[in-house]
Amino acid sequence: MQYEYDPDNAQRPGSPLRLLPWETWDGRPCYLAASGDGNGYLSRRADRMEEQQMHNAAVAYTDAETTLRNSSAGPLLLRLMLMRTTTSLGNTLRIADSRLGRLLAPSVPDEPDLTSE
């Protein structure tokens, strides 16, 4: 599976929806409106999938470093490694975007009262 990351439509902190690590059948992002403590079945499943994607990204990173140090690596191997690494990077960016949306929204500081002078 390959997920697309759209940096122009990143979630904002305090979002009521969680971006899930999978897409709809037609390639659109999936969101979850968590109820309760946010520890339901779909939330736990998404957490496990994100954990696996992060593990896969770490493995792809290590393999890419090894491949780049291999002076006999040909164009096909380099292309396959680049494809795997970009897929992992896309997944990692999606996870970061999802977690950004789950942060608390920043509080806006009270404006100073300029009329009391």
Side-chain angles (χ1 to χ4, degrees):
M1 269 186 218
Q2 180 175 341
Y3 300 109
E4 297 295 323
Y5 176 71
D6 184 359
D8 296 326
N9 290 312
Q11 286 196 294
R12 301 284 181 242
S15 172
L17 302 175
R18 176 182 178 173
L19 176 63
L20 295 172
W22 55 79
E23 296 177 333
T24 63
W25 61 271
D26 59 348
R28 292 180 293 145
C30 284
Y31 294 92
L32 174 65
S35 60
D37 62 358
N39 203 17
Y41 173 77
L42 282 178
S43 292
R44 291 191 315 270
R45 184 175 169 104
D47 290 342
R48 285 191 305 272
M49 187 169 185
E50 287 177 351
E51 183 180 340
Q52 184 62 49
Q53 288 173 337
M54 292 299 290
H55 172 77
N56 292 345
V59 171
Y61 176 79
T62 302
D63 289 350
E65 283 187 322
T66 302
T67 302
L68 288 174
R69 283 194 298 271
N70 181 355
S71 60
S72 63
L76 179 60
L77 180 58
L78 292 172
R79 182 172 173 79
L80 291 172
M81 186 78 319
L82 183 58
M83 288 172 56
R84 183 172 172 208
T85 304
T86 55
T87 297
S88 294
L89 178 58
N91 289 340
T92 303
L93 288 170
R94 185 182 187 98
I95 292 167
D97 191 18
S98 175
R99 292 183 181 178
L100 175 66
R102 287 183 271 159
L103 293 176
L104 295 176
S107 59
V108 178
D110 294 333
E111 303 244 350
D113 185 11
L114 300 177
T115 60
S116 63
E117 289 183 26

